[in-house]
Amino acid sequence: LFTGNVSTKKGSMIVAADQTVFANKALGSDKYTIEVCFNSIEASSAGVVFGYKDDNNYGSAAFDTAKEELVVTFVVGGEKSETRHKPVRSFDMAYDFKAVQAIQVEKKGNEFTFYVNDRELCKVESDLAGGEKVGITTKGGSAGVGYFGATAEVGGSSNDAHYKPVTSQTGYIQANHCLE
């Protein structure tokens, strides 16, 4: 599934220290959603790489574990831009990077939306093109990954393509209100 220095331990993929590993398949779409769920971060930085064409064209969203920030980086045509964002804390508690922490990236056109633990954190405009390669990156230590997923769908746009059975729990029917 991934090329690079990875191993498995107790059902988790371990990305070695100071590595960037890529999924074997590129997304090949100008809209996509990527999610990585870390179940343990021993690194000073760990996150997701997206839209990777080469070292002059890619994006990343990575936790800075010391500052408890999500660092969003875009490199387009060799020009680098970086923004830092403080995720919302639950009950004002410090982040536990040995517990599950998730990063999601959604791209639609030139707009990128970033989520931490299913909470929208920020939106950033960028000219980074295409789906290209996606992967995981670490610096200053390793990280355990419990889940990594990528799809060429955004904002529930695949909902109309899947069958929705009636559930017996509450007796409701999910309805489609519109088609794209």
Side-chain angles (χ1 to χ4, degrees):
L1 183 62
F2 282 86
T3 55
N5 194 356
V6 296
S7 60
T8 56
K9 182 179 179 182
K10 295 182 181 179
S12 292
M13 180 176 78
I14 308 298
V15 180
D18 304 311
Q19 296 292 308
T20 299
V21 298
F22 291 102
N24 291 333
K25 271 181 102 174
L27 286 174
S29 175
D30 200 40
K31 68 176 185 172
Y32 52 80
T33 303
I34 302 164
E35 179 175 356
V36 61
C37 293
F38 294 101
N39 53 22
S40 179
I41 299 175
E42 305 289 333
S44 59
S45 175
V48 62
V49 177
F50 51 90
Y52 184 90
K53 183 177 179 181
D54 55 36
D55 288 345
N56 290 315
N57 296 282
Y58 68 91
S60 69
F63 289 119
D64 177 330
T65 58
K67 294 182 179 178
E68 294 184 0
E69 296 176 331
L70 186 72
V71 180
V72 176
T73 304
F74 286 95
V75 179
V76 179
E79 296 292 320
K80 182 178 181 179
S81 66
E82 181 178 284
T83 57
R84 292 177 164 269
H85 308 272
K86 286 271 191 199
V88 176
R89 292 178 172 192
S90 294
F91 305 106
D92 203 30
M93 296 171 58
Y95 269 85
D96 180 0
F97 289 102
K98 296 200 183 333
V100 174
Q101 301 292 337
I103 299 172
Q104 297 105 349
V105 179
E106 209 174 70
K107 179 189 189 309
K108 190 172 184 181
N110 285 352
E111 183 176 79
F112 292 80
T113 306
F114 298 90
Y115 301 83
V116 171
N117 298 328
D118 292 326
R119 293 180 179 166
E120 184 177 321
L121 183 61
C122 62
K123 291 181 188 269
V124 179
E125 295 273 330
S126 175
D127 291 331
L128 183 65
E132 305 299 337
K133 292 182 182 179
V134 295
I136 301 166
T137 187
T138 62
K139 289 183 183 155
S142 63
V145 178
Y147 173 79
F148 182 88
T151 180
E153 302 294 338
V154 294
S157 61
S158 66
N159 283 347
D160 296 326
H162 299 284
Y163 207 33
K164 295 167 192 68
V166 175
T167 152
S168 62
Q169 289 179 326
T170 58
Y172 68 88
I173 299 173
Q174 294 180 340
N176 294 331
H177 298 288
C178 64
L179 296 173
E180 283 190 23

